[in-house]
Amino acid sequence: MNISQRYRMFLPLLLSAAVLISPADSLAQVRTADPAARGVPLSAFPRLVKLSKHVYGYEEIRQPGFTTVSLIVLGKDGVLIADAQGSAAATQTMLDRIRTITTLPIKWYVVGSDHGDHTAGNHVLPTGIMYIVHPTSLAQLKRDSAAATATRPVVVPPMAMTGNVQVVDVGTTEVEVRFLGRAHTGGDLMVHLPKEQILFMSEAYLNRVFPAMRSAYPTEWARTIDAALSLDRVKRFVPGHGFIEKDKRSREELVAFRDAITSVITEATRLKSLGLSADEAAKRANWGAIGSWFLADQQGPVAVRRVWAEIDGQLR
């Protein structure tokens, strides 16, 4: 059964042009990144999820059918965005949806992840905005820019942040952009809103999505999540992929994701000890419960190779 067929099982929702859902709407949903299994039709996306008076999450569907999440903070005189979407069209749609909740200009942009599914549409963002980016991600964007085309340009911020915390006073609340350690990309930035007790984790947190390790630092990733879990004044952890959850459940799911990373490391290490080739190891991997998570078939072999590279000291 393909994705379109699966969605015919669900009655379409009556939606406005700018979908806005309350956090309570997800209380009874099953724990999965699969919209169909969760009972959410594709027609519900993109949608804004109100997290507080001035803060919204933005969920948009990307192929093969799970969400990419952005964070939107409404300031006194402007808007801060953390992560955009994976194409110019998707990012423009996000900007159009933001216009349904405020007429304020976009002033700040946080590069939580430097991967294309979060940055490929950045060239449609307004010019002259302030970019906040980790040095590692800035270096990657420069490399990406060298291979870019006229139809798929890469926006390279003028400079990187210094230190591990940068504070942005947007007028309505204080925003702390934090680097807690290497995780999914190496330049992973998170947005902490102490007043609202929210932490947007970008791709350091993939809710019910199999740990994607193409550019990851597996052992450090688990430690970075532990650092996030130990932060004061955080009740709600917002992922870069997968559904936005309520406070308690968001912590539970983040712990489950941290445990998924450690279980991947354990299984890949076991397979390496057997003297198998990487291809054979990927075929014989037993991922247990997380084997049913989104992208497990695709990301499992990638994870095996990445963990092996870490064991062999090839990650710098």
Side-chain angles (χ1 to χ4, degrees), residues 6-255:
R6 291 165 72 185
Y7 279 106
R8 294 193 188 105
M9 297 169 60
F10 301 96
L11 293 175
L13 299 178
L14 295 176
L15 302 165
S16 64
V19 179
L20 178 63
I21 69 169
S22 163
D25 292 343
S26 63
L27 282 175
Q29 304 293 349
V30 297
R31 301 189 182 226
T32 179
D34 184 348
R38 196 170 170 113
V40 183
L42 286 179
S43 58
F45 300 99
R47 64 184 187 177
L48 291 161
V49 182
K50 190 167 186 177
L51 305 179
S52 76
K53 182 178 180 181
H54 302 290
V55 183
Y56 295 79
Y58 179 82
E59 296 177 338
E60 173 65 292
I61 289 292
R62 57 158 291 186
Q63 291 302 319
F66 64 107
T67 64
T68 295
V69 180
S70 303
L71 185 76
I72 301 159
V73 182
L74 307 183
K76 181 180 179 181
D77 300 312
V79 177
L80 179 144
I81 296 173
D83 283 352
Q85 297 288 315
S87 69
T91 298
Q92 185 59 58
T93 297
M94 181 183 73
L95 295 177
D96 294 342
R97 297 303 170 97
I98 291 173
R99 289 289 162 263
T100 68
I101 55 174
T102 182
T103 59
L104 293 172
I106 310 301
K107 283 194 173 183
W108 304 273
Y109 182 88
V110 179
V111 182
S113 168
D114 54 55
H115 285 174
D117 56 330
H118 297 263
T119 63
N122 282 4
H123 56 284
V124 303
L125 296 171
T127 59
I129 63 177
M130 177 182 178
Y131 282 86
I132 302 171
V133 59
H134 189 272
T136 299
S137 288
L138 180 57
Q140 182 60 54
L141 290 171
K142 288 179 178 178
R143 289 191 292 270
D144 293 343
S145 180
T149 65
T151 57
R152 294 183 63 86
V154 173
V155 174
V156 179
M159 64 182 68
M161 65 185 287
T162 58
N164 291 331
V165 182
Q166 183 165 333
V167 177
V168 182
D169 186 354
V170 302
T172 54
T173 193
E174 189 172 89
V175 178
E176 298 175 352
V177 181
R178 292 182 172 272
F179 176 70
L180 298 180
R182 298 195 295 185
H184 180 71
T185 68
D188 310 84
L189 292 184
M190 305 183 192
V191 177
H192 183 204
L193 303 168
K195 178 182 175 182
E196 294 81 4
Q197 300 186 66
I198 293 169
L199 183 69
F200 173 71
M201 297 183 63
S202 187
E203 290 197 289
Y205 173 23
L206 314 177
N207 186 10
R208 294 282 161 164
V209 178
F210 192 93
M213 293 190 175
R214 169 176 59 86
S215 59
Y217 298 83
T219 302
E220 294 178 54
W221 193 349
R223 291 201 296 262
T224 296
I225 292 177
D226 284 335
L229 288 165
S230 68
L231 281 177
D232 292 332
R233 301 180 71 184
V234 178
K235 287 186 176 180
R236 193 169 200 172
F237 300 87
V238 179
H241 291 291
F243 285 94
I244 299 171
E245 309 284 8
K246 289 283 287 181
D247 295 1
K248 180 181 177 181
R249 185 153 139 174
S250 75
R251 178 176 287 270
E252 293 171 351
E253 293 292 13
L254 180 57
V255 170

Side-chain angles (χ1 to χ4, degrees), residues 210-218 264-265 267-272 276-285 287 296-315:
F210 192 93
M213 293 190 175
R214 169 176 59 86
S215 59
Y217 298 83
V264 166
I265 295 170
E267 177 63 0
T269 301
R270 181 189 72 84
L271 293 165
K272 187 172 178 61
L276 304 171
S277 69
D279 288 342
E280 185 61 27
K283 293 176 183 177
R284 293 176 58 175
W287 301 122
D297 290 345
Q298 175 183 326
Q299 293 299 332
V302 176
V304 168
R305 289 176 171 82
R306 192 67 175 180
V307 173
W308 285 15
E310 182 178 63
I311 292 171
D312 291 338
Q314 297 173 4
L315 305 188

